[in-house]
Coordinates of all heavy atoms in Angstrom, one line a residue:
M1 N -20.0 -20.4 -11.1 CA -19.7 -19.7 -9.9 C -19.0 -18.4 -10.2 O -18.0 -18.4 -10.9 CB -18.9 -20.6 -9.0 CG -18.6 -19.9 -7.7 SD -17.9 -21.1 -6.5 CE -16.2 -20.8 -6.8
K2 N -19.4 -17.3 -9.7 CA -18.8 -16.0 -9.9 C -17.7 -15.8 -8.9 O -18.0 -15.9 -7.7 CB -19.9 -14.9 -9.9 CG -19.3 -13.6 -10.2 CD -20.5 -12.6 -10.2 CE -19.9 -11.2 -10.6 NZ -21.0 -10.2 -10.6
E3 N -16.5 -15.5 -9.3 CA -15.4 -15.2 -8.4 C -15.5 -13.7 -8.0 O -15.9 -12.9 -8.7 CB -14.1 -15.5 -9.0 CG -13.9 -17.0 -9.3 CD -12.5 -17.3 -9.8 OE1 -11.6 -16.5 -9.5 OE2 -12.4 -18.2 -10.6
S4 N -15.0 -13.5 -6.7 CA -15.0 -12.1 -6.3 C -13.6 -11.8 -5.7 O -12.9 -12.6 -5.2 CB -16.1 -11.8 -5.2 OG -15.9 -12.7 -4.1
L5 N -13.3 -10.5 -5.8 CA -12.0 -10.0 -5.3 C -12.0 -10.0 -3.8 O -13.0 -9.6 -3.2 CB -11.9 -8.6 -5.8 CG -10.5 -7.9 -5.6 CD1 -9.4 -8.6 -6.3 CD2 -10.6 -6.5 -6.1
T6 N -11.0 -10.6 -3.2 CA -10.9 -10.7 -1.7 C -9.8 -9.9 -1.1 O -9.9 -9.5 0.0 CB -10.7 -12.2 -1.3 OG1 -9.5 -12.7 -1.9 CG2 -11.9 -13.0 -1.7
D7 N -8.8 -9.6 -1.9 CA -7.6 -8.8 -1.4 C -7.1 -7.9 -2.5 O -7.1 -8.2 -3.6 CB -6.4 -9.8 -1.0 CG -6.8 -10.7 0.1 OD1 -6.6 -10.2 1.2 OD2 -7.2 -11.8 -0.1
V8 N -6.7 -6.7 -2.0 CA -6.1 -5.7 -2.9 C -4.9 -5.1 -2.2 O -5.0 -4.8 -1.0 CB -7.1 -4.5 -3.2 CG1 -6.4 -3.4 -3.9 CG2 -8.3 -5.0 -3.9
I9 N -3.8 -5.0 -2.9 CA -2.6 -4.4 -2.4 C -2.4 -3.1 -3.2 O -2.2 -3.2 -4.5 CB -1.4 -5.3 -2.4 CG1 -1.6 -6.6 -1.6 CG2 -0.1 -4.6 -2.0 CD1 -0.5 -7.6 -1.7
I10 N -2.3 -2.0 -2.6 CA -2.0 -0.7 -3.2 C -0.6 -0.4 -2.9 O -0.2 -0.4 -1.7 CB -3.0 0.4 -2.8 CG1 -4.4 0.0 -3.2 CG2 -2.6 1.7 -3.4 CD1 -5.5 0.9 -2.7
G11 N 0.2 -0.1 -3.9 CA 1.6 0.2 -3.7 C 2.1 1.6 -4.0 O 1.5 2.3 -4.9
E12 N 3.1 2.0 -3.4 CA 3.8 3.3 -3.7 C 5.3 3.0 -3.7 O 5.8 2.4 -2.7 CB 3.5 4.3 -2.6 CG 4.2 5.6 -2.7 CD 3.7 6.4 -3.9 OE1 2.6 6.2 -4.5 OE2 4.5 7.3 -4.3
V13 N 6.0 3.4 -4.7 CA 7.4 3.1 -4.8 C 8.2 4.4 -4.9 O 7.8 5.3 -5.6 CB 7.7 2.3 -6.1 CG1 9.2 2.1 -6.3 CG2 7.0 1.0 -6.1
K14 N 9.1 4.5 -4.0 CA 10.0 5.7 -3.9 C 11.4 5.2 -4.0 O 12.0 4.6 -3.1 CB 9.8 6.5 -2.6 CG 8.4 7.1 -2.4 CD 8.2 8.2 -3.4 CE 6.8 8.9 -3.2 NZ 6.5 9.7 -4.3
Y15 N 12.1 5.5 -5.1 CA 13.5 5.1 -5.3 C 14.4 6.1 -4.6 O 14.9 7.1 -5.3 CB 13.8 5.0 -6.8 CG 15.2 4.4 -7.1 CD1 15.4 3.1 -6.8 CD2 16.2 5.2 -7.6 CE1 16.7 2.5 -7.0 CE2 17.4 4.7 -7.8 CZ 17.7 3.3 -7.5 OH 18.9 2.8 -7.7
T16 N 14.5 6.0 -3.3 CA 15.2 6.9 -2.5 C 15.7 6.3 -1.2 O 15.1 5.3 -0.7 CB 14.3 8.2 -2.2 OG1 15.1 9.2 -1.5 CG2 13.1 7.8 -1.4
K17 N 16.7 7.0 -0.6 CA 17.1 6.7 0.8 C 16.8 7.8 1.7 O 17.1 7.8 2.9 CB 18.6 6.4 0.8 CG 18.9 5.1 0.1 CD 20.4 4.8 0.2 CE 20.7 3.5 -0.6 NZ 22.1 3.1 -0.5
S18 N 16.1 8.8 1.2 CA 15.7 10.0 1.9 C 14.5 9.8 2.8 O 13.5 9.3 2.4 CB 15.4 11.2 1.0 OG 14.7 12.2 1.6
E19 N 14.7 10.1 4.1 CA 13.6 10.0 5.1 C 12.4 10.9 4.7 O 11.2 10.5 4.9 CB 14.0 10.2 6.5 CG 15.0 9.1 7.0 CD 15.5 9.3 8.4 OE1 15.0 10.2 9.1 OE2 16.3 8.5 8.8
T20 N 12.7 12.1 4.2 CA 11.7 13.0 3.8 C 10.8 12.4 2.7 O 9.6 12.5 2.7 CB 12.3 14.4 3.4 OG1 13.1 14.9 4.4 CG2 11.2 15.4 3.0
T21 N 11.4 11.9 1.7 CA 10.7 11.3 0.6 C 9.9 10.0 1.0 O 8.8 9.8 0.6 CB 11.7 10.9 -0.6 OG1 12.4 12.1 -1.0 CG2 10.9 10.4 -1.8
F22 N 10.5 9.3 1.9 CA 9.8 8.1 2.5 C 8.5 8.6 3.2 O 7.5 8.0 3.0 CB 10.7 7.4 3.6 CG 10.0 6.4 4.4 CD1 9.9 5.1 4.0 CD2 9.4 6.7 5.6 CE1 9.3 4.1 4.7 CE2 8.7 5.8 6.4 CZ 8.7 4.5 5.9
S23 N 8.6 9.7 4.0 CA 7.5 10.2 4.7 C 6.4 10.7 3.7 O 5.2 10.4 3.9 CB 7.9 11.4 5.6 OG 8.7 11.0 6.6
R24 N 6.8 11.3 2.6 CA 5.9 11.8 1.6 C 5.2 10.5 0.9 O 4.0 10.5 0.7 CB 6.5 12.6 0.6 CG 5.5 13.2 -0.4 CD 6.2 14.2 -1.4 NE 7.1 13.6 -2.3 CZ 8.4 13.9 -2.3 NH1 8.9 14.8 -1.6 NH2 9.2 13.3 -3.2
G25 N 6.0 9.5 0.7 CA 5.4 8.3 0.1 C 4.4 7.6 1.0 O 3.4 7.1 0.5
L26 N 4.8 7.6 2.3 CA 3.9 6.9 3.2 C 2.6 7.7 3.3 O 1.5 7.2 3.3 CB 4.5 6.9 4.6 CG 3.7 6.2 5.7 CD1 3.3 4.8 5.3 CD2 4.5 6.2 7.0
R27 N 2.6 9.0 3.3 CA 1.4 9.9 3.4 C 0.6 9.7 2.1 O -0.6 9.5 2.2 CB 1.8 11.4 3.5 CG 0.7 12.3 3.7 CD 1.1 13.8 3.9 NE 2.0 14.3 3.0 CZ 3.3 14.5 3.2 NH1 3.8 14.3 4.5 NH2 4.1 15.0 2.3
E28 N 1.2 9.6 1.0 CA 0.5 9.4 -0.3 C -0.2 8.0 -0.2 O -1.4 7.9 -0.6 CB 1.4 9.5 -1.5 CG 1.9 10.9 -1.7 CD 3.1 10.9 -2.7 OE1 3.6 9.8 -3.2 OE2 3.5 12.0 -3.1
L29 N 0.5 7.0 0.2 CA 0.0 5.6 0.3 C -1.2 5.6 1.2 O -2.3 5.0 0.9 CB 1.0 4.6 0.8 CG 0.6 3.2 0.9 CD1 0.0 2.6 -0.4 CD2 1.7 2.3 1.4
L30 N -1.2 6.3 2.4 CA -2.3 6.3 3.3 C -3.5 7.0 2.7 O -4.6 6.6 2.9 CB -1.9 7.0 4.6 CG -0.9 6.2 5.5 CD1 -0.4 7.0 6.6 CD2 -1.5 4.9 5.9
E31 N -3.2 8.0 1.9 CA -4.3 8.7 1.1 C -5.0 7.7 0.1 O -6.2 7.7 0.0 CB -3.8 9.9 0.4 CG -3.5 11.1 1.3 CD -2.9 12.3 0.6 OE1 -2.7 12.2 -0.7 OE2 -2.5 13.2 1.3
Y32 N -4.2 7.0 -0.6 CA -4.7 6.0 -1.5 C -5.6 5.0 -0.8 O -6.7 4.6 -1.3 CB -3.6 5.3 -2.3 CG -2.6 6.1 -3.0 CD1 -1.3 5.6 -3.2 CD2 -2.9 7.4 -3.5 CE1 -0.4 6.4 -3.9 CE2 -2.0 8.1 -4.2 CZ -0.7 7.6 -4.4 OH 0.2 8.4 -5.1
L33 N -5.1 4.5 0.3 CA -5.8 3.5 1.1 C -7.1 4.1 1.6 O -8.2 3.4 1.6 CB -5.0 3.0 2.3 CG -3.8 2.2 1.9 CD1 -2.9 1.9 3.2 CD2 -4.2 0.9 1.3
Y34 N -7.1 5.3 2.0 CA -8.3 6.0 2.5 C -9.4 6.0 1.4 O -10.5 5.6 1.5 CB -8.1 7.4 3.0 CG -9.3 8.2 3.2 CD1 -10.1 8.0 4.4 CD2 -9.8 9.1 2.3 CE1 -11.2 8.6 4.6 CE2 -11.0 9.8 2.5 CZ -11.7 9.5 3.7 OH -12.9 10.2 3.9
F35 N -9.0 6.5 0.2 CA -9.9 6.6 -0.9 C -10.4 5.2 -1.3 O -11.6 5.0 -1.6 CB -9.2 7.2 -2.1 CG -9.1 8.7 -2.0 CD1 -7.9 9.3 -2.0 CD2 -10.2 9.5 -1.8 CE1 -7.8 10.7 -1.9 CE2 -10.1 10.9 -1.6 CZ -8.9 11.5 -1.7
A36 N -9.6 4.2 -1.3 CA -10.0 2.8 -1.7 C -11.0 2.3 -0.7 O -11.9 1.6 -1.1 CB -8.8 1.9 -1.8
R37 N -10.8 2.6 0.6 CA -11.7 2.1 1.6 C -13.0 2.9 1.8 O -14.0 2.4 2.1 CB -11.0 2.0 2.9 CG -9.9 1.0 2.9 CD -9.2 1.0 4.3 NE -8.1 0.0 4.3 CZ -7.0 0.1 4.9 NH1 -6.7 1.2 5.6 NH2 -6.0 -0.8 4.9
E38 N -12.8 4.2 1.7 CA -13.9 5.1 2.2 C -14.7 5.8 1.0 O -15.9 6.1 1.2 CB -13.4 6.2 3.1 CG -12.6 5.7 4.3 CD -13.4 4.8 5.2 OE1 -14.6 5.0 5.3 OE2 -12.8 3.9 5.8
A39 N -14.1 6.1 -0.1 CA -14.8 6.8 -1.1 C -15.8 5.9 -1.8 O -15.5 4.8 -2.2 CB -13.8 7.4 -2.1
D40 N -17.0 6.4 -2.0 CA -18.0 5.6 -2.6 C -17.6 5.1 -4.0 O -17.3 5.9 -4.9 CB -19.4 6.4 -2.7 CG -20.0 6.5 -1.4 OD1 -19.7 5.8 -0.4 OD2 -20.9 7.4 -1.2
Q41 N -17.6 3.8 -4.2 CA -17.4 3.2 -5.5 C -16.1 3.6 -6.1 O -15.9 3.6 -7.3 CB -18.6 3.4 -6.4 CG -19.8 2.8 -5.9 CD -21.0 3.0 -6.8 OE1 -20.9 3.7 -7.8 NE2 -22.1 2.4 -6.4
Y42 N -15.1 4.0 -5.4 CA -13.8 4.3 -5.9 C -13.1 3.1 -6.5 O -12.6 3.1 -7.6 CB -12.9 5.0 -4.8 CG -11.5 5.2 -5.3 CD1 -11.1 6.3 -6.1 CD2 -10.4 4.4 -4.9 CE1 -9.8 6.5 -6.5 CE2 -9.1 4.6 -5.3 CZ -8.8 5.7 -6.1 OH -7.6 5.9 -6.5
L43 N -13.2 2.0 -5.7 CA -12.5 0.8 -6.1 C -13.5 -0.3 -6.6 O -13.1 -1.1 -7.5 CB -11.7 0.3 -5.0 CG -10.7 -0.9 -5.2 CD1 -9.7 -0.4 -6.3 CD2 -10.0 -1.2 -3.9
F44 N -14.7 -0.3 -6.1 CA -15.6 -1.3 -6.4 C -17.0 -0.7 -6.8 O -17.4 0.3 -6.3 CB -15.9 -2.2 -5.1 CG -14.7 -2.7 -4.5 CD1 -14.2 -2.2 -3.3 CD2 -14.0 -3.8 -5.1 CE1 -13.0 -2.6 -2.7 CE2 -12.8 -4.2 -4.5 CZ -12.3 -3.7 -3.3
N45 N -17.7 -1.4 -7.7 CA -19.0 -1.0 -8.0 C -20.0 -1.4 -6.9 O -21.0 -0.7 -6.7 CB -19.5 -1.7 -9.3 CG -18.8 -1.1 -10.5 OD1 -18.3 0.0 -10.5 ND2 -18.6 -2.0 -11.6
N46 N -19.7 -2.4 -6.2 CA -20.5 -2.9 -5.1 C -19.8 -2.6 -3.8 O -18.9 -3.3 -3.4 CB -20.8 -4.4 -5.2 CG -21.6 -5.0 -4.1 OD1 -22.1 -4.2 -3.3 ND2 -21.8 -6.3 -4.1
V47 N -20.3 -1.5 -3.1 CA -19.6 -1.1 -1.9 C -19.8 -2.0 -0.8 O -19.1 -1.9 0.2 CB -20.1 0.4 -1.5 CG1 -19.6 1.4 -2.6 CG2 -21.5 0.4 -1.3
T48 N -20.7 -3.0 -0.9 CA -20.9 -3.9 0.2 C -19.9 -5.1 0.1 O -19.9 -6.0 1.0 CB -22.3 -4.5 0.2 OG1 -22.6 -5.1 -1.0 CG2 -23.3 -3.3 0.4
Q49 N -19.2 -5.2 -1.0 CA -18.2 -6.3 -1.2 C -17.2 -6.3 -0.1 O -16.6 -5.3 0.3 CB -17.6 -6.2 -2.5 CG -16.6 -7.3 -2.9 CD -16.0 -7.1 -4.3 OE1 -16.4 -6.3 -5.0 NE2 -15.1 -8.0 -4.6
E50 N -16.9 -7.5 0.5 CA -15.9 -7.7 1.5 C -14.6 -7.9 0.8 O -14.4 -8.8 0.1 CB -16.2 -8.9 2.4 CG -17.4 -8.7 3.3 CD -17.2 -7.6 4.3 OE1 -16.1 -7.5 4.9 OE2 -18.2 -6.9 4.6
C51 N -13.6 -7.0 1.1 CA -12.3 -7.1 0.5 C -11.3 -6.5 1.5 O -11.5 -5.4 2.0 CB -12.3 -6.4 -0.8 SG -10.7 -6.6 -1.7
R52 N -10.2 -7.2 1.7 CA -9.1 -6.6 2.5 C -8.2 -5.8 1.7 O -7.7 -6.2 0.7 CB -8.3 -7.8 3.2 CG -7.3 -7.3 4.2 CD -6.6 -8.4 4.9 NE -6.0 -9.3 3.9 CZ -5.7 -10.6 4.1 NH1 -6.0 -11.1 5.3 NH2 -5.1 -11.3 3.2
I53 N -8.0 -4.5 2.1 CA -7.2 -3.6 1.3 C -6.0 -3.2 2.2 O -6.1 -2.8 3.3 CB -8.0 -2.3 1.0 CG1 -9.2 -2.7 0.2 CG2 -7.1 -1.3 0.2 CD1 -10.2 -1.5 0.0
S54 N -4.8 -3.5 1.6 CA -3.5 -3.2 2.4 C -2.6 -2.4 1.5 O -2.8 -2.3 0.3 CB -2.9 -4.4 2.9 OG -2.6 -5.3 1.9
G55 N -1.6 -1.8 2.1 CA -0.6 -1.0 1.3 C 0.8 -1.5 1.4 O 1.2 -2.1 2.4
L56 N 1.6 -1.2 0.4 CA 3.0 -1.6 0.3 C 3.8 -0.4 -0.1 O 3.5 0.1 -1.2 CB 3.1 -2.8 -0.7 CG 4.5 -3.3 -0.9 CD1 5.1 -3.9 0.4 CD2 4.5 -4.3 -2.0
L57 N 4.7 0.0 0.7 CA 5.6 1.1 0.4 C 7.0 0.5 0.1 O 7.6 -0.2 1.0 CB 5.7 2.1 1.6 CG 6.6 3.3 1.4 CD1 6.3 4.1 0.2 CD2 6.6 4.1 2.7
C58 N 7.5 0.7 -1.0 CA 8.9 0.2 -1.4 C 9.8 1.4 -1.5 O 9.5 2.4 -2.2 CB 8.8 -0.5 -2.8 SG 7.8 -1.9 -2.8
T59 N 11.0 1.3 -0.9 CA 12.0 2.3 -1.0 C 13.4 1.7 -1.3 O 13.5 0.4 -1.3 CB 12.2 3.1 0.3 OG1 12.6 2.2 1.3 CG2 10.8 3.8 0.7
D60 N 14.4 2.5 -1.5 CA 15.7 2.0 -1.8 C 16.6 2.0 -0.6 O 17.8 2.3 -0.6 CB 16.3 2.8 -2.9 CG 17.5 2.1 -3.5 OD1 17.5 0.9 -3.6 OD2 18.5 2.8 -3.8
G61 N 16.0 1.6 0.6 CA 16.9 1.4 1.7 C 16.7 2.3 2.9 O 17.6 2.5 3.7
V62 N 15.5 3.0 3.0 CA 15.3 3.8 4.2 C 15.1 2.8 5.4 O 14.3 1.9 5.4 CB 14.0 4.6 4.0 CG1 13.7 5.4 5.3 CG2 14.2 5.6 2.8
A63 N 15.9 3.1 6.5 CA 15.8 2.2 7.6 C 14.5 2.6 8.5 O 14.3 3.8 8.7 CB 17.0 2.4 8.5
T64 N 13.8 1.6 8.9 CA 12.6 1.8 9.7 C 12.7 0.9 10.9 O 13.2 -0.2 10.8 CB 11.3 1.6 8.9 OG1 11.3 0.3 8.4 CG2 11.1 2.6 7.8
A65 N 12.1 1.3 12.0 CA 12.1 0.5 13.2 C 11.1 -0.6 13.1 O 11.3 -1.7 13.6 CB 11.8 1.3 14.4
T66 N 10.0 -0.4 12.4 CA 9.0 -1.3 12.2 C 8.7 -1.5 10.7 O 8.6 -0.6 9.9 CB 7.6 -0.9 12.8 OG1 7.9 -0.6 14.2 CG2 6.5 -1.9 12.7
Q67 N 8.8 -2.8 10.2 CA 8.6 -3.1 8.8 C 7.1 -3.1 8.4 O 6.8 -2.9 7.2 CB 9.3 -4.4 8.4 CG 9.2 -4.7 7.0 CD 9.9 -6.0 6.6 OE1 10.3 -6.8 7.5 NE2 10.2 -6.2 5.3
S68 N 6.3 -3.4 9.4 CA 4.9 -3.6 9.0 C 3.9 -3.1 10.1 O 4.3 -3.2 11.3 CB 4.7 -5.1 8.8 OG 3.4 -5.4 8.4
S69 N 2.8 -2.6 9.7 CA 1.7 -2.2 10.7 C 0.5 -3.0 10.3 O 0.5 -3.9 9.5 CB 1.5 -0.7 10.6 OG 0.8 -0.4 9.4
Q70 N -0.6 -2.6 10.8 CA -1.9 -3.3 10.6 C -2.2 -3.3 9.1 O -2.7 -4.3 8.6 CB -3.0 -2.7 11.4 CG -4.3 -3.4 11.2 CD -5.4 -2.8 12.1 OE1 -5.2 -1.9 12.9 NE2 -6.6 -3.3 11.9
S71 N -2.0 -2.2 8.4 CA -2.4 -2.2 7.0 C -1.3 -1.8 6.0 O -1.6 -1.7 4.8 CB -3.6 -1.2 6.8 OG -3.2 0.1 7.2
V72 N -0.1 -1.5 6.5 CA 1.0 -1.0 5.6 C 2.2 -1.8 5.9 O 2.6 -2.0 7.0 CB 1.3 0.5 5.7 CG1 2.5 0.9 4.9 CG2 0.1 1.3 5.3
T73 N 2.9 -2.3 4.8 CA 4.2 -2.9 4.9 C 5.2 -2.1 4.1 O 5.0 -1.6 3.0 CB 4.1 -4.4 4.3 OG1 3.1 -5.1 5.0 CG2 5.4 -5.1 4.4
H74 N 6.4 -2.0 4.7 CA 7.5 -1.3 4.1 C 8.6 -2.3 3.7 O 9.0 -3.1 4.5 CB 8.1 -0.3 5.0 CG 9.4 0.3 4.5 ND1 10.6 0.2 5.1 CD2 9.7 1.0 3.3 CE1 11.6 0.8 4.4 NE2 11.0 1.3 3.3
L75 N 8.9 -2.3 2.4 CA 10.0 -3.2 1.9 C 11.0 -2.3 1.2 O 10.7 -1.4 0.5 CB 9.4 -4.2 0.9 CG 8.5 -5.3 1.5 CD1 7.9 -6.1 0.4 CD2 9.1 -6.1 2.6
T76 N 12.3 -2.7 1.4 CA 13.4 -2.1 0.6 C 13.6 -2.9 -0.7 O 13.1 -4.0 -0.8 CB 14.7 -2.0 1.4 OG1 15.1 -3.3 1.7 CG2 14.4 -1.3 2.8
T77 N 14.4 -2.3 -1.6 CA 14.7 -3.1 -2.8 C 15.5 -4.3 -2.4 O 15.3 -5.4 -3.1 CB 15.5 -2.2 -3.8 OG1 16.6 -1.6 -3.1 CG2 14.7 -1.1 -4.4
E78 N 16.3 -4.3 -1.4 CA 17.0 -5.5 -0.9 C 16.0 -6.6 -0.5 O 16.1 -7.8 -0.8 CB 18.0 -5.2 0.2 CG 18.8 -6.4 0.6 CD 19.8 -6.1 1.7 OE1 20.3 -4.9 1.7 OE2 20.1 -7.0 2.5
D79 N 15.0 -6.2 0.3 CA 13.9 -7.1 0.7 C 13.2 -7.7 -0.5 O 13.0 -8.9 -0.5 CB 12.8 -6.4 1.6 CG 13.4 -5.8 2.9 OD1 14.3 -6.4 3.4 OD2 12.8 -4.8 3.4
L80 N 12.9 -6.9 -1.4 CA 12.2 -7.4 -2.6 C 13.1 -8.4 -3.4 O 12.6 -9.4 -3.9 CB 11.8 -6.2 -3.6 CG 10.7 -5.4 -3.1 CD1 10.5 -4.2 -4.0 CD2 9.4 -6.2 -3.0
S81 N 14.4 -8.1 -3.5 CA 15.3 -9.0 -4.3 C 15.4 -10.4 -3.6 O 15.6 -11.4 -4.3 CB 16.6 -8.4 -4.5 OG 17.3 -8.3 -3.3
Q82 N 15.2 -10.4 -2.3 CA 15.3 -11.7 -1.6 C 14.0 -12.5 -1.8 O 14.0 -13.7 -1.6 CB 15.6 -11.5 -0.1 CG 17.0 -10.9 0.1 CD 17.2 -10.6 1.6 OE1 16.4 -10.8 2.5 NE2 18.4 -10.0 1.9
L83 N 12.9 -11.8 -2.1 CA 11.6 -12.5 -2.3 C 11.6 -13.3 -3.6 O 10.9 -14.3 -3.8 CB 10.5 -11.5 -2.2 CG 10.2 -10.9 -0.9 CD1 9.1 -9.9 -1.0 CD2 9.7 -12.0 0.1
F84 N 12.3 -12.7 -4.6 CA 12.3 -13.3 -5.9 C 13.6 -13.9 -6.2 O 14.3 -14.1 -6.9 CB 11.9 -12.3 -7.0 CG 10.5 -11.7 -6.6 CD1 10.4 -10.5 -6.0 CD2 9.4 -12.4 -6.9 CE1 9.1 -10.0 -5.7 CE2 8.1 -11.9 -6.6 CZ 8.0 -10.7 -6.0

């Protein structure tokens, strides 16, 4: 039986508390997600393969009103340290 990839998480890490740098990191992450989802064979040889692609933005403490959206999650270094 051949296994297939079902989930991909693309991450962007910004070691900062700056909202400007956070915004730039989020914009970059959204670009990566676009290319992974839309560009022909950027991520997969078989473009018909079903795979959920989501993004993870890590910062060093930028406060956000929402931690997660449909396809992007924001975690701080404190959040990460609590996971492990």
